[in-house]
Amino acid sequence: MKLSEIHFEETKQRLKGSIAPVITPFTEDDSLDLETLRELVNWHIDSGSHGISVTGTTGEPSSLTLEEREQVMETAISAVAGRVPFVPGTGSTNHLETLHLTKAAQEMGADAAMVIVPYYNKPSQHALFKHFKAVAQAVDIPLIVYNIPGRTGVNLEAKTLARLNEDCPNIIGVKESNKDFEHVNRVLLNCGRDFLLFSGIELLCYPMLAIGGKGYISATANVLPGKVAEVYNAWEAGNVEEAMQLHYELMPLNDVLFRDTNPAPVKAALGMMGKIKPRLRLPMDVPAKSIQEEIRTVLNSYGLLNQVRSES
């Protein structure tokens, strides 16, 4: 086995549990708020998150310039400081941008890179295979493919993923934001049980562990990182009933955080909790007032707003 392949296998052993997809905070004038980003990363790690990701869907990558995406990655990896694995999102609708960002992630020392199925242009399965294979061959960093058909307009089929897994040793896993549970079962059937399967659908985080998933990359971790991480901890310890109880305990929060397009409700929630200024760049915006009231009610039911009052 080559040294690089040994490295890929070692990385596979480390990537598990709740990898938090941290939001990108902005200031009042919509500039990057990198100091708050550092604070959020530290809070996640202190709360028990098993890994950190940035500039995935929850990080609003399409609202950032290439330079800003690199700034966010560099700030986050500096804050992580090797304490947990760091897996930035480096994909784009543009192939050359994807190559640039994935190479940048490798150069700054990321543990792996998460590469989304290109959005808007709806490539064929043949084109997707060529795209991901070209990215994999251009770098020597482990890759996690990110399949989110609700955002991209196309599903990366299990057989296409299996071809990539066979041809590209550094494609070690997939984040599946696909509500089709039959599909995610077939991912492991076609790619093998050692292929890393992460859930990107909140209500499937627990069920995917049951079929052999290694963890999840859940937007809800932005609001309640400790509790989200505990689901995996309980499962890993063999406490199935506790993991299931936590799964259902989180459902009201999961539901309200997707009453509008992610990450708008998450940022609204973090604003109410005093963690960030709840800013999104247009064309995104904070949720309508009625949804914000729903968010406030749910946060209060979890005691998250009591913490803000006690600290103020």
Side-chain angles (χ1 to χ4, degrees), residues 116-118 122-130 132 145-149 152-166 171 173-178 180 182-192 195 197:
I116 194 170
V117 169
K122 298 179 70 173
S124 67
Q125 295 300 305
H126 173 69
L128 286 171
F129 176 81
K130 290 180 67 175
F132 282 110
V145 175
Y146 181 13
N147 187 33
I148 179 168
T152 64
V154 61
N155 180 49
L156 182 66
E157 295 175 3
K159 289 184 178 179
T160 305
L161 195 54
R163 288 180 63 205
L164 288 166
N165 180 43
E166 183 177 347
I171 293 182
V174 63
K175 175 185 177 182
E176 280 288 353
S177 294
N178 189 328
D180 183 348
E182 179 179 341
H183 165 83
V184 296
N185 277 269
R186 295 193 183 282
V187 165
L188 289 184
L189 177 67
N190 283 273
C191 295
F195 194 67
L197 173 65

Side-chain angles (χ1 to χ4, degrees), residues 212-224:
K214 294 300 188 293
Y216 36 83
I217 305 172
S218 165
T220 303
N222 280 280
V223 176
L224 205 52

Side-chain angles (χ1 to χ4, degrees), residues 193-311:
R193 296 279 295 281
D194 63 338
F195 194 67
L196 302 187
L197 173 65
F198 291 92
S199 176
I201 298 290
E202 277 58 30
L203 295 191
L204 294 183
C205 289
Y206 170 76
M208 281 201 200
L209 293 176
I211 65 168
K214 294 300 188 293
Y216 36 83
I217 305 172
S218 165
T220 303
N222 280 280
V223 176
L224 205 52
K227 191 77 70 175
V228 172
E230 284 175 21
V231 176
Y232 177 81
N233 293 340
W235 175 267
E236 185 70 2
N239 299 324
V240 176
E241 187 61 37
E242 180 185 351
M244 188 183 300
Q245 177 60 34
L246 289 166
H247 165 72
Y248 285 109
E249 185 179 329
L250 284 166
M251 280 182 65
L253 183 59
N254 289 332
D255 286 344
V256 81
L257 291 180
F258 286 85
R259 287 281 284 111
D260 195 351
T261 304
N262 181 43
V266 168
K267 282 196 160 182
L270 287 172
M272 294 172 195
M273 293 166 62
K275 294 289 186 183
I276 66 167
K277 294 179 177 64
R279 300 285 301 179
L280 294 92
R281 286 178 175 172
L282 294 173
M284 299 288 287
D285 197 7
V286 293
K289 288 184 179 180
S290 59
I291 296 177
Q292 290 192 46
E293 285 309 309
E294 290 183 52
I295 294 169
R296 189 180 302 277
T297 298
V298 173
L299 292 181
N300 197 47
S301 72
Y302 284 84
L304 293 171
L305 299 186
N306 292 337
Q307 294 177 16
V308 177
R309 284 193 287 269
S310 65
E311 291 170 1

